[in-house]
């Protein structure tokens, strides 16, 4: 059942039954968008990421019952439910590998079969699983090296420089607009 942002409160049990995950549930134990691990300081919320255009518009399209309806309403122009569409990305460039590659490389950490962004959405809403959170935060921190590469190789404000890395930064909750 679709929920409004205001319904996501500590103690809410979220039931997940989508195309990739059945009979999974989790409880929100932190306020939405708050009480993050001190090493985790994302620069962009999941809502903002979806609104700007990530994952070719083809991510979480069957998860409207899990995540706030406002996230989908705000991202309406950047969603592509039928198939991945690079034009839906903020920088109009593909900047991700297919899920099967992530699975082969062992980058998918259960209980989030869609990967890092699914973990981030759930974490942002207030789910906490310390051992999983620690691994995902470590991965997020490692991605910051791409920001340093863009800063080193691009003139300030040249958003056409290193667009693939900028799209990647956006998809890892780093601000690519510098």
């Amino acid at each position: 059942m679709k929920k409004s942002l205001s319904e996501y409160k500590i103690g809410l049990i979220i039931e997940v039954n989508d195309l990739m995950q059945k009979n999974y549930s989790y409880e929100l134990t932190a306020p939405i968008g708050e009480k993050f691990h001190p090493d985790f300081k994302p620069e962009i919320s999941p809502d903002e990421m979806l609104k700007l255009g990530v994952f070719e518009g083809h991510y979480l399209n069957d998860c409207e019952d899990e995540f706030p309806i406002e996230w989908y309403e705000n991202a309406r122009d950047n969603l592509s439910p039928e198939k991945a569409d690079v034009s839906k990305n903020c920088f109009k460039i593909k900047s991700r590998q297919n899920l099967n590659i992530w699975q082969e490389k062992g980058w998918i950490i259960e209980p989030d079969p869609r990967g890092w962004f699914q973990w981030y959405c759930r974490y942002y809403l207030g789910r906490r699983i310390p051992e999983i959170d620690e691994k995902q935060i470590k991965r997020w921190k490692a991605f910051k090296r791409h920001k340093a590469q863009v800063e080193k190789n691009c003139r300030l404000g040249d958003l056409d420089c290193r667009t693939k890395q900028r799209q990647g930064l956006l998809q890892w909750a780093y601000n690519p607009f510098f």
Side-chain angles (χ1 to χ4, degrees), residues 88-142:
K88 300 296 185 180
N89 276 349
C90 181
F91 290 94
K92 312 296 184 227
I93 191 165
K94 184 173 180 168
S95 179
R96 67 175 177 96
Q97 295 177 322
N98 292 332
L99 183 61
N100 61 339
I101 292 172
W102 281 66
Q103 292 165 333
E104 288 170 13
K105 296 203 180 246
W107 295 339
I108 300 297
I109 300 171
E110 291 298 330
D112 305 311
R114 296 170 193 257
W116 185 87
F117 185 60
Q118 184 178 45
W119 168 84
Y120 177 41
C121 290
R122 290 171 172 177
Y123 187 88
Y124 189 89
L125 290 177
R127 183 192 75 177
R128 298 293 184 268
I129 307 173
E131 62 277 5
I132 301 297
D133 300 345
E134 183 177 323
K135 289 178 186 176
Q136 294 291 22
I137 290 167
K138 186 176 182 180
R139 293 179 69 225
W140 171 82
K141 286 173 64 175

Side-chain angles (χ1 to χ4, degrees), residues 8 10 12 15 22 28 34 48-49 53-54 63 77-78 80 84 86 97 144 148 151-153 156 161 169 171 176-177:
Y8 290 82
I10 293 174
L12 177 67
E15 304 285 337
K22 304 279 186 222
L28 303 183
E34 297 179 27
E48 293 168 316
M49 292 168 66
V54 290
C63 301
D77 293 339
N78 292 322
S80 182
V86 162
Q97 295 177 322
K144 191 171 187 174
E151 290 172 332
K152 179 181 177 186
N153 293 290
L156 189 63
C161 181
L169 287 168
Q171 292 174 179
F177 306 107

Side-chain angles (χ1 to χ4, degrees), residues 5-37:
L5 203 53
S6 63
E7 297 177 69
Y8 290 82
K9 300 195 183 299
I10 293 174
L12 177 67
I13 305 288
I14 296 179
E15 304 285 337
V16 179
N17 284 296
D18 58 39
L19 294 176
M20 292 186 70
Q21 196 168 36
K22 304 279 186 222
N23 302 315
Y24 173 69
S25 64
Y26 60 93
E27 180 179 359
L28 303 183
T29 59
I32 190 167
E34 297 179 27
K35 299 202 176 180
F36 288 3
H37 186 283

